[in-house]
Structure formats: C-alpha cells, structure tokens
C-alpha cells in the first residue's frame, strides 16, 4: 500500500500516512499528538497549514473550512488525506497547557463492581464529542453547589468518545456514597477536564520507569501503560500496585497479563494488612517493595498515584535511594477542596 511522509514544519518530527487515511488518525497512531476535538470536520480544532504538497477530502468538503482557508492553504487534519508527501504547520501538543479544558455531560454506560469497595464507571460522551487528554490526567466531577471531586481517567486516550473511572467508596463520602448507592446506568454526570500534570514524559525515553499505584491509584497508570503499548513504546516499566488486602487489587489479572505478554513490563503486588497473601505478593507497603527491588533509583523515572500517605512515604524513601527529584511525577489523591473546610468546621 502507498504511504506518504508528513513532516512537521516546526520540529524534526515526521510520520507516515497510509493511502486513504486521515492525517490526524495516522499522527495519533504513531504518538504524534496533534490537537483535535470533534474529529468530524465541524469544530476546526485540528486546523493547520499545508506548506508543501497537496491534500484532498474524499468524502465531502469539511464544514469548518471556509473559502478563505482554502486560499490560505489551511487544512483540517482530521479529514484531509495526503496525495503526496507533505510539510505541514500544526501545533503539536507537548504539554497539558496545549489541551483544551472542557465541561461536558456524560451518560453512565456501565457501572460495575470491581471489588467490594471499587466500582468502574464507563462514561459515554454526547454524540460527536470527544475528549482529548494525556494518559494520566484526571477529570473533576461537578456536583451541586459548585463542589467537585477528582477522578483519574483509567482508559486509554485513543478511546475518545468515552472515559473509564475507578471509584473507591469513601466511608461517609458524599459523592462516592452517591455513586455506590444511588447512581444508575443511563444517569448523567457532568465533569470538567482533562486536568493535571500527571503524564508520561518523553524527553528522555531511554530511562526505565517505575510506576507505583495505591488502591485506585492504579487507574491513571493503566491509562499510561495502555497508551504506551498502543504507541509501540517499549521502554522498561516496573509496575508496583499496593493495597491493604489482596482483594483491593481489583484488576490484578490485567497487569499480570501485561507482564506475561510483554518482556519489558514487570509487575509486583504489595499487600500490607493480610496474613496469607497469594504467593509472590510482597508483604508490606508498596514503596517498601520498590526499595527492596531497587536500592539505587538514580536511573529511573518514577510515576506514582494514590492516597496522600502513600505518596508522602514513597517520596521521602525514594529520594533517599538516589531518585532525582526532577524525575519524580505523582498525583496525590487528596480530598475535594471543600472537605478540609468542612472537617475543620466540625465541633471537636
Ligand atoms: C488528582 C486526583 C485524582 C483522584 N483520582 C481518584 C481515582 O481515580 N479514584 C478514586 O477512587 N479516587 C480518586 N481521588 C480521590 C477522590 O477525589 C476522593 O476520594 C473523593 O473526592 C471523595 O469524595 P466524596 O464526596 O465521596 O467524599 P467527601 O464527602 O469529600 O469526604 C467525606 C470524608 O471522607 C474522607 N475522605 C475524603 N476523601 C478521601 C480520600 N481521598 N482518602 C481518604 N479519606 C477521604 C474525609 O474524612 C471526608 O471528611 C483522586 C483525587 C485527586 C486529587
Ligand atoms: S477535529 Fe474538529 S474539525 Fe477536525
């Protein structure tokens, strides 16, 4: 099959597009993050300039392209297909500031129990809406009275018309209590996102990664790993997933499968409050499992997410083991912003 080389004018990046494939589809498949939103030619988010070469729109002229755009050699990358090799000028997404933050309603397409304390929600976006995000980012679920609750996106960014969340039940929690007791499939949830700076850094792709999740802290790591696998990125990943009881490792079979299938993925469970854990599980806190395996962390990039106590303990332990503070990235699952105020206001 014929393919065309597309070179980005502002950088040294290039990628290949198969004949009959849209430029945006090919770019995303090869890990080149170009901006987009609707992917059907109506919003204009993916607009760029063709500096050299020719494109065409085999189905219909896209709505978001005006006559002046044609004259200015502008193209909609979600619809345009190359007729020859191209040089294009389009803003590549290199950081979260390049991604549009949006407020969207979503329908609960699935609510399923992953463990006694964790549910998976699959939220379907409205027709023709897509959420562009970097694997690892989170959304704020919007509640009545301006309150919001943060949840990491567990699904891969390539699955753009829905997102998956893993929600742990918090004892006495307003929103998580509502999710467990009341929320039903087909209900609508509003959220804002994507948010946060937790995403895989690609500036030194030769460095091996350690990923550490506590409880539902597995969610953003799942998104990151699925995304890396999809992009054919084969850098070494050492995944550690910790909980108090082994039943709280609610998708344990999934990373086990990754480790079996991919030689560059290694997986270790850690369980801190159980007398008889399954064979091979580390007995203790998850950061202790990391330190036991890697006394020298200076060569690693470390990504971690989970409860604040885990993040604090792991951070200080890892820095003592030589981890470069600039190569440590984390999301600490703190309370919603209104909660500390409420807790402090309680009579003692
Ligand atoms: C960036 C980020 C990403 C997050 N991602 C996820 C995720 O993917 N999955 C997930 O399950 N959670 C995640 N969280 C945590 C989640 O936001 C909170 O658990 C949630 O806000 C609790 O809401 P609630 O309304 O049920 O509880 P609230 O009504 O807000 O709190 C009720 C009481 O529960 C306690 N509490 C509240 N939150 C916590 C907590 N996190 N840990 C311990 N005790 C708490 C407090 O004592 C509080 O008084 C994330 C948090 C952040 C900041
Ligand atoms: S992404 Fe909306 S027009 Fe291309």
């Amino acid at each position: 099959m014929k393919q065309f080389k597309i070179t980005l004018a502002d950088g040294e990046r290039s990628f290949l597009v198969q004949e009959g494939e849209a430029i945006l589809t090919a770019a995303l498949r090869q890990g080149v993050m170009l901006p987009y939103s609707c992917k059907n030619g109506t919003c204009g988010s993916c607009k760029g300039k063709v500096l050299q070469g020719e494109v065409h729109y085999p189905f219909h002229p896209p709505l978001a392209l005006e006559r002046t755009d044609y004259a200015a050699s502008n193209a909609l990358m979600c619809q345009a297909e190359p007729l020859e090799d191209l040089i294009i000028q389009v803003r590549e997404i290199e950081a979260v500031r390049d991604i549009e933050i949006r407020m969207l309603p979503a329908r609960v397409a699935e609510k399923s129990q992953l463990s006694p304390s964790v549910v998976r929600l699959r939220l379907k976006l409205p027709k023709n809406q897509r959420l562009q995000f970097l694997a690892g980012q989170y959304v704020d679920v919007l509640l009545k009275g301006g309150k919001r609750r943060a949840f990491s996106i567990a699904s891969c960014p390539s699955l753009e018309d829905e997102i998956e969340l893993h929600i742990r039940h918090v004892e006495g929690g307003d929103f998580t209590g509502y999710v467990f007791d009341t929320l039903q499939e087909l209900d609508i949830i509003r959220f804002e996102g994507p948010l946060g700076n937790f995403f895989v850094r690609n500036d030194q792709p030769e460095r091996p990664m350690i990923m550490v999740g506590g409880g539902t802290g597995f969610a953003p790591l799942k998104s990151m790993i699925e995304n890396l696998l999809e992009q054919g990125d084969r850098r070494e990943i050492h995944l550690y997933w910790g909980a108090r009881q082994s039943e709280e490792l609610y998708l344990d079979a999934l990373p086990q499968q990754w480790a079996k299938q991919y030689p560059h993925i290694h997986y270790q469970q850690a369980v801190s409050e159980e007398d008889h854990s399954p064979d091979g599980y580390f007995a203790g806190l998850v950061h202790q499992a990391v330190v036991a395996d890697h006394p020298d962390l200076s060569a690693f990039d470390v990504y971690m997410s989970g409860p604040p106590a885990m993040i604090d303990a792991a951070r200080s332990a890892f820095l003592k083991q030589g981890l470069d503070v600039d190569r440590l990235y984390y999301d600490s699952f703190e309370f919603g912003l209104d909660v500390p105020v409420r807790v402090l206001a309680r009579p003692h």
Side-chain angles (χ1 to χ4, degrees), residues 123-314:
L123 302 179
K124 193 99 187 143
L125 304 186
K127 210 161 173 272
N128 293 333
Q129 298 282 352
R130 286 155 204 277
L131 186 73
Q132 183 169 26
F133 63 95
L134 297 178
Q137 288 192 285
Y138 67 94
V139 295
D140 263 355
V141 174
L142 306 174
L143 314 182
K144 288 200 192 91
K147 294 181 193 168
R148 29 177 78 220
R149 299 287 183 264
F151 292 95
S152 307
I153 305 172
S155 43
C156 185
S158 61
L159 203 75
E160 312 142 321
D161 58 352
E162 64 174 54
I163 55 170
E164 174 183 326
L165 307 179
H166 299 167
I167 299 192
R168 181 179 71 89
H169 185 240
V170 171
E171 211 46 55
D174 281 352
F175 177 69
T176 59
Y178 163 77
V179 168
F180 270 69
D181 302 339
T182 312
L183 183 78
Q184 294 188 353
E185 288 181 358
L186 301 184
D187 283 355
I188 300 283
I189 279 184
R190 290 183 62 78
F191 70 83
E192 184 176 38
L195 301 166
N197 290 313
F198 190 53
F199 58 90
V200 171
R201 306 311 200 262
N202 292 319
D203 56 332
Q204 295 185 44
E206 68 290 349
R207 287 172 71 89
M209 296 193 275
I210 289 178
M211 295 191 174
V212 187
T216 42
F218 174 67
L221 306 180
K222 171 179 177 287
S223 176
M224 287 174 169
I225 292 174
E226 288 180 344
N227 194 37
L228 289 165
L229 286 174
E230 198 171 81
Q231 291 177 356
D233 190 315
R234 292 292 181 263
R235 74 186 97 163
E236 208 72 17
I237 299 174
H238 301 262
L239 170 66
Y240 292 82
W241 189 7
R244 277 166 299 191
Q245 312 277 330
S246 46
E247 70 171 15
E248 293 169 59
L249 303 177
Y250 52 85
L251 282 177
D252 194 24
L254 178 64
Q256 283 188 36
Q257 178 56 36
W258 290 333
K260 218 185 268 170
Q261 197 175 344
Y262 302 101
H264 69 287
I265 300 188
H266 315 274
Y267 174 46
Q268 176 64 59
Q269 305 90 334
V271 172
S272 60
E273 292 176 20
E274 198 168 59
D275 291 335
H276 303 287
S277 300
D279 275 354
Y281 284 31
F282 179 87
L285 297 169
V286 67
H287 73 275
Q288 295 167 335
V290 176
V291 171
D293 287 350
H294 304 282
D296 179 1
L297 288 169
S298 56
F300 289 93
D301 283 0
V302 174
Y303 295 85
M304 52 190 194
S305 54
M310 178 205 100
I311 301 288
D312 290 347

Side-chain angles (χ1 to χ4, degrees), residues 24 35-46 64 76-79:
L24 176 70
Y36 69 90
S37 181
C38 71
K39 269 196 167 172
N40 61 20
T42 50
C43 75
S45 311
C46 64
L76 293 183
M77 302 303 160
C78 73
Q79 302 294 307

